[in-house]
Amino acid sequence: MLGAIEAGGTKIVCAAGPVPGQIHARETFRTAAPTETFQQIQAFFGPYAESGQLEALGLAAFGPVGIAPGAPGYGQVQKTPKPGWTGVDWLDGLAPLACPVALDTDVNAAALGEQALGAGQGCQTLAYVTVGTGIGAGVIHQGRAPSGTGHYEMGHIYPPRSLGDVFEGLCPYHGDCLEGLASGPAIAARWGTDLSSLLADHPAHALEAAYLAQLAVTITLTHMPERIVFGGGVMKTPGLIDRVRAETRRLLGGYVSQGPASGDLGGYIVPPGLGEDSGITGALILASRA
Ligand code: ZN
């Protein structure tokens, strides 16, 4: 049996299944302090481990986290505003389960899941963007997520400000980076509610799409993927993906004249094919490679 953990900013999903795409058991709990979280993980996987069934674990972890095997800090949570999590070592915490562990970021895992079994099937190069508690993006080239000295942090780019937008931004490190301007908490701070609760002609929709399109354009120009999957809670807002497509097309200005990033972008910027399961599916794929 393969084990998968998707550790996000607000919730943690544990799942077990024989192969990626098949989940036989799962449990979801709120992201708590590390000690409590590891107890919950142990409670879920302990019976599999004790009966010798747990072959490997795949972890899709919130960033920033060390993802380069063998490098200093591998498996360790880096500086984070999440209380108690800075410096936590995932591999130490999972060691009692006594099985191989493979880990990557939540967005890289989600990209992996979508590429293998979701909306990115058949794509050699795929990007996955999540817009929720935070904003992040993972890119897959040839079935793997490339990285530099660490994983990419595309949610923290500084987009040009939309005209008249004076919101200071919420990112504790940058203020008005993309995440600071357009994450779910930023929307709530701007408008006092979530995007889905605002009427379709409310300016919040166009503003959100304008910022998210900046990321779509950046990903297009730096990676030229075959497709970009836009997931996360904010993207469930009706009509938002259409607005992001239209604004991305406007910003690209016809510069990309061939391939999937040309035309109306209908098959280029797409919703997840796996619904809520992109990340946990990717974590199962990581486990299968551990
Ligand atoms: Zn930031």
Side-chain angles (χ1 to χ4, degrees):
M1 193 70 81
L2 301 172
I5 304 168
E6 182 186 16
T10 52
K11 64 174 183 174
I12 293 192
V13 182
C14 290
V19 290
Q22 280 185 37
I23 292 173
H24 287 183
R26 92 163 69 197
E27 206 168 298
T28 302
F29 32 87
R30 290 196 67 75
T31 307
T35 308
E36 187 185 341
T37 297
F38 283 117
Q39 282 168 356
Q40 288 169 312
I41 290 170
Q42 181 70 35
F44 181 85
F45 291 110
Y48 295 102
E50 285 151 25
S51 61
Q53 290 182 75
L54 191 61
E55 297 161 52
L57 271 173
L59 168 65
F62 60 78
V65 60
I67 58 165
Y74 177 57
Q76 286 175 19
V77 180
Q78 295 160 11
K79 199 174 173 188
T80 172
K82 291 176 185 64
W85 280 94
T86 299
V88 165
D89 190 323
W90 279 106
L91 300 175
D92 279 355
L94 299 174
L97 294 167
C99 70
V101 177
L103 70 99
D104 210 327
T105 64
D106 46 6
V107 281
N108 280 349
L112 214 51
E114 285 293 327
Q115 193 244 4
L117 295 163
Q121 291 179 64
C123 293
Q124 294 299 307
T125 305
L126 178 79
Y128 177 91
V129 175
T130 183
V131 188
T133 314
I135 296 179
V139 179
I140 299 292
H141 288 281
Q142 311 281 348
R144 302 267 161 185
S147 60
T149 55
H151 55 78
Y152 302 155
E153 289 283 5
M154 287 183 273
H156 294 270
I157 60 170
Y158 285 94
R161 282 299 193 109
S162 287
L163 198 63
D165 181 20
V166 295
F167 179 65
E168 65 272 23
L170 284 185
C171 178
Y173 301 103
H174 313 118
D176 60 352
C177 68
L178 181 67
E179 180 172 297
L181 290 172
S183 64
I187 292 166
R190 283 174 183 279
W191 311 108
T193 186
D194 59 286
L195 205 54
S196 296
S197 303
L198 297 167
L199 292 175
D201 60 354
H202 191 285
H205 295 274
L207 187 69
E208 182 69 11
Y211 285 128
L212 297 182
Q214 297 280 352
L215 180 56
V217 168
T218 298
I219 290 171
T220 300
L221 298 179
T222 54
H223 292 280
M224 289 291 168
E226 284 162 70
R227 206 164 289 159
I228 306 177
V229 178
F230 265 80
V234 172
M235 291 311 301
K236 291 178 185 157
T237 308
L240 181 58
I241 199 161
D242 298 319
R243 293 174 191 265
V244 172
R245 282 189 194 114
E247 183 64 9
T248 301
R249 188 180 183 194
R250 191 185 72 78
L251 290 173
L252 284 169
Y255 183 71
V256 181
S257 57
Q258 290 186 337
S262 59
D264 70 1
L265 309 186
Y268 180 62
I269 292 174
V270 300
L274 297 172
E276 305 268 312
D277 283 351
S278 317
I280 200 72
T281 302
L284 276 173
I285 294 169
L286 290 171
S288 74
R289 294 175 177 179

